[in-house]
Amino acid sequence: MSKTMHAKIHTFPTPLGWMALVGEERTLNRSVFGYTTPDAAVHAAMRWDRHWSSVVLDTTCAIAAAMEQAKWSPFFYELAERLTRFAAGEVQSFSDIRLDVNALTPFSQRVLAACRTIPWGQTSTYGELARRCGSPGAARAVGNILARNRFPIIVPCHRILPANGQFGGFSAPQGTAMKKRLLAMEHA
């Protein structure tokens, strides 16, 4: 089933690099971070799920910050502010942010929901997350779901580690170096 989506892309600089938020009204469809330019963040944000066959985007960039902020809905302006504070090392929770997870399987939705409950400064393992989702033994499936996390930081997949205590992979720019940076920032 195809879906035509009317979304806005909002980009803004943070201490963790350029971030982009994609969404409609008060719902987040995708977020990306860690990019060196706003164009790179927009390009990464436009890697759409196969379920969307047609995407209509109103693209805005925060290069002229005052002009840009006037175009943003209050929801995205507030979220950008909170993400910027997070990137600067301030404790933030994003559990109140509504996410568009309709195209995900029920198991994927449970994994993301469980991951969102892991607070700042704490970590868990893929196996523990699988158990919390009612599927012990599905650690690899949990890892695959988090590798495609469309909402990094909002769904803090950087807080999930392999059982062997290593850092595992991370799909954001700079890979595991970024994951280590986020965990060090959170003192996890």
Side-chain angles (χ1 to χ4, degrees):
M1 174 179 233
S2 66
K3 173 183 177 182
T4 299
M5 185 172 123
H6 297 278
K8 289 193 177 208
I9 298 180
H10 308 288
T11 60
F12 52 100
T14 75
L16 294 172
W18 280 88
M19 291 191 181
L21 304 174
V22 181
E24 303 173 89
E25 299 297 319
R26 298 190 55 81
T27 302
L28 188 64
N29 300 104
R30 185 170 183 78
S31 62
V32 297
F33 78 101
Y35 291 89
T36 56
T37 66
D39 287 343
V42 167
H43 179 74
M46 290 179 66
R47 292 185 195 129
W48 292 103
D49 195 303
R50 71 180 188 278
H51 298 287
W52 290 324
S53 63
S54 175
V55 179
V56 179
L57 297 170
D58 294 325
T59 307
T60 56
C61 289
I63 294 174
M67 253 176 74
E68 172 58 19
Q69 292 168 2
K71 295 178 185 178
W72 290 17
S73 73
F75 168 75
F76 286 101
Y77 178 76
E78 177 188 316
L79 181 54
E81 288 291 316
R82 289 168 62 188
L83 284 163
T84 300
R85 290 195 307 266
F86 171 90
E90 185 179 314
V91 177
Q92 295 288 315
S93 170
F94 301 100
S95 60
D96 60 317
I97 303 301
R98 185 172 46 202
L99 306 176
D100 179 1
V101 294
N102 294 328
L104 302 178
T105 67
F107 181 65
S108 295
Q109 291 178 25
R110 287 195 309 273
V111 168
L112 296 185
C115 187
R116 289 182 87 180
T117 66
I118 300 168
W120 174 282
Q122 294 184 22
T123 60
S124 187
T125 66
Y126 296 106
E128 176 57 31
L129 205 57
R131 281 188 290 282
R132 288 177 57 194
C133 294
S135 297
R140 184 170 298 215
V142 166
N144 288 333
I145 290 165
L146 294 180
R148 294 184 309 271
N149 178 13
R150 292 188 351 226
F151 313 100
I153 298 176
I154 307 299
V155 174
C157 57
H158 63 278
R159 296 176 185 155
I160 310 301
L161 304 170
N164 65 9
Q166 299 297 313
F167 283 95
F170 196 54
S171 59
Q174 301 173 27
T176 55
M178 179 62 83
K179 187 172 189 172
K180 290 176 184 178
R181 180 178 173 187
L182 291 169
L183 291 173
M185 181 180 78
E186 296 183 13
H187 308 291

